[in-house]
Amino acid sequence: MSLNKDSKAILVIYIQIVLCLFLALAYGFLSPYYLPTAKPVKTGLPKISDKLVLVLMDGMRKDFAFDPKLMPNTYRLSQEGASGISKTSSFPITIAAMRALASGVPYSARDILYNYQRTKTVTKTDNGKVRFTNKYALDESIDSIFQAAKKDGRKTVLSGDDIWINCYGSAISEAILAKADADTPHGTTDDSDVHKGALSFLAEADFDILIIHYQSLDRTGHNYTPLSSKYRKKALEVDRYIAELEEKLPPNTTLFIFSDHGQSDEGWHGKLDNPPPIVTEPPFIFAKSNIAKIQNLSVEQIDFAPTLAFLLGLPIPVQSEGIAIEKIFNLSEKEKADLLLANLKSHTNYIEQLQSNTKVNIKLPNSQVQSKYQTGDFSQVISLARKELNNINQLVELKTKFNLSPFTKAYLLLSLLVFLLLIVTSKTETIPWLVLAISLSSGLVAALGGSIFLFGSLL
Ligand SMILES: [Zn+2]
């Protein structure tokens, strides 16, 4: 059978569609399965602090946070409390860090696409705050510390970017939103309003969790690079904000300062499939109430979710894959062992619910932790529990990794180029419109996915 020119073009388009679908699958648009109906278990442990002030310093690099000359207050807090780096759990972008932090679940490529379709309904109140009535937050099918807090009758408030609302919706009960700045291509470089909002929330002290999101450092880095004098100046400014927050903290409140991702010397997040450590190892600091003095910790961003749950005495978000950072707390070895045991119980509980509600079949190995606990050797219990938690994570392959081979990258790029060439050179009037529409839309999906992986970041 011989094909004429148009039939050949259609055939190539069909092949492209198959390729695009294959690539879409390969690149994680099919994210790992999470059981949305799973119920968390109570840890049975008392809360460690009454309140949490959570400060996101967007795009802060570790070499800045831990340098007494560049950020004196941040550095001082890092030495007084617990500090280190937290490895980004999937992509080094803001929303991925937010997901990891509060849910203990890594962010997938599918989530990126999904999140860009979010809409929300905002109602303004007279006092300049806003409330949200949107039904569809990004993570409504995934548990979080904010949802756990809400269920427990506690209140989470926000001063900062509305990206938090996209993610956590009505779990955040009140907010003062950052204003967009039309003069800069990367959003606002002025956090004075966000800081003012944060101070007003602190003055009222009517919250259990206060989220503060300073964006100016990230935006300044994107505009002028982290090596610029402007970034240095901005770092000092945000550092001053930290000292002002510290002064106004309510009693028995833990201050948690963290960065979602670093920034390359060129002012970007790096290529998302292979970013440098300055991007993927952003700094974190726990300070003030009930926090131990310990430095140079190395954790994963997903580990914050169980840690913050223990801090506030909330159930661990049920789908969380994180392992609590017990070292940061001023607790006895036995109390720390209890945290890890509760963490293990939460993990096991979720796996059991997965097994009874889905076709997933995972054979959990016998746990040795309980018998070790009886011997009273609690530091052994801690390390054994950590090992078992890691084993469970590996066993169910909960971790999502995006290490693409050079071949796969070349394949994606090439198929995109062929596709684009075909669209440009085809006589569109001779190609059935449906085929064209399907190939265009699948091409867009592949192009967006491809650009995320190959050419850097969106946020
Ligand atoms: Zn960011």
Side-chain angles (χ1 to χ4, degrees), residues 382-443:
I382 291 169
S383 62
L384 193 59
R386 288 192 153 273
K387 213 167 124 194
E388 288 188 9
L389 281 161
N390 267 319
N391 286 346
I392 293 178
N393 277 346
Q394 276 170 14
L395 192 68
V396 294
E397 292 178 79
L398 287 177
K399 299 215 176 221
T400 48
K401 297 278 180 202
F402 296 93
N403 291 326
L404 305 183
S405 69
F407 173 77
T408 320
K409 283 182 207 166
Y411 188 55
L412 172 68
L413 195 60
L414 201 69
S415 65
L416 280 177
L417 285 176
V418 170
F419 175 75
L420 290 174
L421 206 68
L422 193 83
I423 291 297
V424 172
T425 57
S426 292
K427 291 196 188 85
T428 49
E429 68 270 22
T430 59
I431 298 175
W433 65 269
L434 187 64
V435 175
L436 190 65
I438 295 171
S439 56
L440 261 177
S441 51
S442 53

Side-chain angles (χ1 to χ4, degrees), residues 3 51 113 209 323 348 371-372 389-390 413 417 431:
L3 294 170
K51 291 182 199 292
L113 284 186
I209 303 172
I323 302 174
T348 319
S371 57
K372 198 68 179 166
L389 281 161
N390 267 319
L413 195 60
L417 285 176
I431 298 175

Side-chain angles (χ1 to χ4, degrees), residues 56-59 92-95 213 218-219 222 260-262 269 459:
L56 167 51
M57 281 213 219
D58 208 306
I93 57 172
T94 308
I95 200 162
H213 186 170
D218 183 65
R219 308 308 182 199
H222 285 326
D260 47 352
H261 50 77
H269 299 216
L459 284 172

